Amino acid sequence: MIANLAAFLSEHKCPPLVLFNRTLSKLPPVSATIVHAESYADLAKRCDVVFSSLSEDNAVKSVFAAMFEGAREKKGKGVVFRSEEHTSELQSPRL
């Protein structure tokens, strides 16, 4: 999925795909079409849309808290979120 999305963005003259993972070894190498963010906050600062797939509530809360902090600097952010856990306690702060 990452390779296809990065190729699509490149073909349409978009900026490179920005990725972050707490385990750096799981990321594909940096290239002309893929760059790495330094943190979740950095990811949110640099991207207009963030795709997230997290597996448990504590990770969801901590990751989104960091992303919301990063997103405060720029309006118009979007998050595509996927989780199998119950996240009713997750609340988006007003940005």
Side-chain angles (χ1 to χ4, degrees):
M1 182 174 146
I2 290 171
N4 290 339
L5 186 53
F8 177 86
L9 294 172
S10 179
E11 288 170 14
H12 289 85
K13 310 292 186 230
C14 296
L17 183 63
V18 182
L19 303 174
F20 181 77
N21 191 311
R22 291 175 293 181
T23 307
L24 295 177
S25 63
K26 291 183 179 181
L27 290 172
V30 172
S31 68
T33 59
I34 295 173
V35 297
H36 297 169
E38 295 178 13
S39 65
Y40 290 113
D42 181 44
L43 181 70
K45 286 178 191 175
R46 296 170 67 176
C47 300
D48 293 328
V49 177
V50 175
F51 291 87
S52 171
S53 180
L54 300 164
S55 61
E56 56 100 9
D57 277 350
N58 289 331
V60 170
K61 291 174 187 176
S62 65
V63 167
F64 276 76
M67 284 198 301
F68 288 140
E69 277 305 309
R72 289 184 188 279
E73 296 180 17
K74 185 178 176 187
K75 302 271 186 210
K77 301 285 181 179
V79 175
V80 178
F81 174 68
R82 184 214 153 274
S83 177
E84 296 176 7
E85 295 292 317
H86 180 64
T87 56
S88 63
E89 295 179 24
L90 180 65
Q91 295 179 359
S92 173
R94 295 191 73 110
L95 300 178

